[in-house]
DNA sequence: AATGAATGAGTATTCATTCAT
DNA sequence: GATGAATGAATACTCATTCAT
């Protein structure tokens, strides 16, 4: 009965997920006890097993449900933008907006995802790939529209973009200090990724010719 | 006496570090047993404790010793290059070279570093910061020489570069497939980071004006 | 709710204490494994840690709870006796009665107490001092009533009495043989401690003059 | 060759025994590592095994060699005394003299002997029995000479005397404070054990009639 | 559904003892 | 004899998971 007013979300399920995010963020997956989460969620230890098969599954569920929300939001917003470069800027902006909105979740995803990716059996992490593929989709669209060089591989570029954003996420969530504002991070990330670190109007104009040249083709 | 022929390295110490790298890479820090490492190193479990205080310390030592070697090598090579943009290209190149040379170590650093950074008490990770600061050093030099825009913050750019490289490291070490070659990764990373994802000679020339604009200043 | 029918005692707590007493008595504290106690108590190893912080604490709890009961009983019974020498006799009698009633506990207290006293951190052993102070209380009362020489120090006498009883406890609990009955021990302990080893009606009357003389005042 | 000048004692053997006494006294047998003793003795860990079969044996050897010396000394001195009560006084005096001379050894014997007695396999502790039998020998002699009541059992009295002295040893070696001097302890121990705690010249003369009476024969 | 007491498999670490040098 | 590096058996304690209530 009460489910009717539950908007499709089970109260306890949500409670536990929130408690897990907070606790994993604070102590890390391996240093978090099920009882820590239960205490944070104000439920009994055993109750967690009514909603999640085990500790691994809890992390996976937490991650997938969060990514679902995020992906939906991001795709929705991008659908209103037509210019692919603008889309990329918007993606970056949303990434930092999400971090600001849910610091704990950002921390868990950024810090715990790699481990779980590798060591939780059977976990293929489709959602994360879907998130990355939003980026490569934008890149491909940009390449078709002549806005991104065709020889750059979207599968690599999406990782470059995500890697950069993820690393900036880390300094934001881990640093106690406020050395950089979210806005600083967003602005530099956008500019550096879109336009590159090097100034284009290089008087010598040289470095655009073969930026990827190896040492055998050193320029004079 | 026998130390004379030891090239300044303790045999068992090295043996254990190598075994730890291999095992942490394969199973992850938390899923690796001391006995796994001992077996891989062909020593008794107890022997590990003659060389390392505990499991945490083993990871930290492994990391610091490796970074020492890497930092020394990278700094040495960069000292022969004067152009800062070339230095950055060389840095990227060396990063991938190192990954190719020691895949296991690359994996451990890429996957385990974040966790250990946060959850191993007392670990401040000076070496990692030193590695990152090689990048920001190059950036600053480039800014002084007018090769990088002065409003970009070196502390952020270094993270963008490292984040991108680190993410590419992951796909190389984790992917069983050979979808991308190290050369692919290096070339795209160099080009994207140095010159940006977007084509500069954009006929409309538009998006370079304010790539970092926030949503309040949306262009029509 | 179920606690109401528990007579104020937790079942498992009691089970474990009893098992620990039995096992410590049989094998000694340092040679007893937690799993030995768990097996004797018919609980899982981990269950012991639900009731006791660790092995040391288990010994301390065992000791303190037992001493509480004993001290209560002894004080209760002594309160009905007015003559201090009779009190001392009653104390001695109760000591042996307790030993007979719980041989295992007597053994643990007699054999393990010294070690734990010294080597278990933070353990000040208030209860044991309280037990000893019952004796010194009786002595002081006797001194006030002129029944015990005032120059004897109660703090020393209490140790002499306890030491003698404790040593007799040992031969009773450790000796497999029944060379001496509890009644033998009680009778001789009472007589020797109250009246002394030497016969008083010594015809020569000599040795009572200065029993505590040092070697410098040797009699011819 | 050097053994000739060694007076039958091996240097290292003595060094190790001394180190063991000191270390066992400080940390207890079970909390002492062989390496602690080796360090204290300025020898290598392995060297200890050239002189003693194992850790248990070291404790036993330490104890037996010490007791041999003590028994020899005590017997020698007692042989010059004819009066048995004087002998007992002398025994008590020597006991405290020994404690003063070697506090560490006193502590080890007093604290560790009970445990080892019970838990070191095959150890029958002949020497300790011999020491106790010096006391019962004196008692028997005194009984023959009419100085000690014949109904008191020498096997029990020897334990009463030893137990009292041992307990006083404990307070002397364990107490950091100097609440009681050795002389206090000796004097009170001698007087209490020889003449009893209760004053003999009780005006009412009552309590000497049946000090060992049980509660069934309570006097009015 | 919810609880939380009970379980017991799992493991880092210690340290007595050995033995090649 | 002397060494001390190496060994590996031994164990207290933790914590994910279960299940009777």
């Amino acid at each position: 009965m009460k489910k009717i007013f539950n908007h499709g979300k089970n109260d306890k399920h949500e409670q536990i997920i929130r408690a897990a995010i907070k606790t994993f963020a604070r102590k890390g997956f391996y240093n978090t006890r099920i009882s820590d989460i239960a205490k944070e969620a104000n439920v009994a230890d055993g109750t967690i097993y009514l909603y999640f098969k085990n500790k691994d599954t809890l992390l996976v569920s937490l991650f997938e449900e969060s990514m679902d929300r995020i992906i939906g939001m991001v795709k929705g917003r991008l659908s209103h933008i037509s210019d692919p470069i603008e889309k990329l800027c918007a993606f970056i902006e949303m990434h930092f907006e999400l971090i600001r909105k849910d610091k704990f979740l950002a921390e868990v995803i950024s810090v715990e995802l790699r481990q779980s990716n590798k060591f939780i059996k059977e976990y293929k992490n489709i959602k994360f790939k879907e998130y990355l593929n939003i980026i490569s989709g934008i890149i491909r669209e940009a390449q078709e529209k002549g806005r991104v060089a065709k020889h750059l591989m979207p599968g690599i570029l999406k990782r470059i973009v995500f890697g950069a954003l993820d690393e900036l996420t880390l300094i934001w969530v881990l640093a106690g200090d406020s050395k950089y504002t979210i806005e600083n991070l967003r602005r530099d990330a956008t500019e550096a990724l879109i336009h590159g670190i090097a100034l284009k109007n290089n008087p010598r104009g040289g470095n655009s010719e073969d930026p990827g040249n190896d040492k055998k083709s050193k320029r004079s």
Side-chain angles (χ1 to χ4, degrees), chain A:
Chain A
M1 185 96 78
K2 66 177 188 288
K3 292 278 180 180
I4 290 170
F5 304 103
N6 218 359
H7 305 289
K9 285 281 179 185
N10 184 302
D11 250 358
K12 287 265 166 66
H13 181 103
E14 260 310 282
Q15 257 175 65
I16 293 166
I17 289 272
R18 286 311 312 165
I21 290 171
K22 195 168 171 186
T23 316
F24 288 155
R26 184 160 51 225
K27 312 176 65 170
F29 179 75
Y30 285 101
N31 294 305
T32 292
R33 313 291 140 233
I34 286 291
S35 59
D36 294 334
I37 300 171
K39 192 172 292 178
E40 179 72 37
N42 286 313
V43 297
D45 292 19
T47 304
I48 290 175
Y49 289 86
L50 298 176
Y51 294 89
F52 303 93
K53 188 172 160 250
N54 55 33
K55 196 184 166 191
D56 286 0
T57 302
L58 174 52
L59 180 61
V60 169
S61 299
L62 168 174
F63 182 66
E64 304 225 311
E65 292 177 23
S66 301
M67 287 309 284
D68 262 346
R69 271 191 297 105
I70 289 168
I71 289 166
M73 189 274 269
V74 170
K75 283 189 171 172
R77 290 232 225 143
L78 289 178
S79 67
H80 304 304
I81 302 171
S82 56
D83 181 69
I85 300 302
E86 268 185 61
K87 274 188 180 171
L88 199 51
C89 295
F91 182 91
I92 293 170
E93 192 174 338
M94 282 185 275
H95 189 93
F96 286 110
E97 195 182 311
L98 288 164
I99 288 160
R100 175 154 37 198
K101 275 193 192 150
D102 198 341
K103 196 172 176 173
F104 290 144
L105 178 60
E107 193 167 347
V108 173
I109 291 176
S110 201
V111 175
E112 306 297 335
L113 182 57
R114 293 190 179 187
Q115 295 266 13
S116 61
N117 229 356
K118 267 192 75 189
F119 305 113
I120 296 184
K121 299 179 234 329
E122 323 276 345
Y123 185 39
K124 288 300 162 219
N125 214 345
I126 303 295
K127 302 293 180 190
F128 176 60
K129 285 184 177 145
E130 193 177 344
Y131 187 69
L132 286 181
N133 286 340
I134 294 175
I135 309 174
S136 50
I138 297 171
I139 302 281
R140 276 195 193 85
E141 189 189 333
Q143 287 177 322
E144 282 160 18
K145 293 185 178 176
R147 307 291 298 277
V148 164
K150 291 210 163 54
H151 67 281
L152 295 173
M153 303 174 83
I156 294 178
L157 290 190
K158 75 180 176 190
R159 292 284 185 164
I160 289 170
V161 172
F162 177 78
L165 299 184
D166 194 39
E167 187 74 22
L168 295 177
T169 298
L170 266 186
I171 62 174
W172 170 253
V173 296
L174 297 185
D177 56 33
S178 50
K179 199 166 162 185
Y180 305 112
T181 64
I182 286 260
E183 177 51 26
N184 286 156
L185 301 175
R186 187 201 59 77
R187 195 200 57 212
D188 283 12
T190 307
E191 190 162 331
L193 289 169
I194 304 288
H195 299 301
I197 289 167
L199 283 171
K200 292 141 289 282
N201 51 349
N202 182 344
R204 288 180 292 163
N207 65 356
S208 70
E209 291 159 12
D210 184 6
N213 62 345
D214 62 5
K215 58 178 173 285
K216 284 155 253 145
S217 58
K218 280 264 171 58
R219 281 158 290 142
S220 59

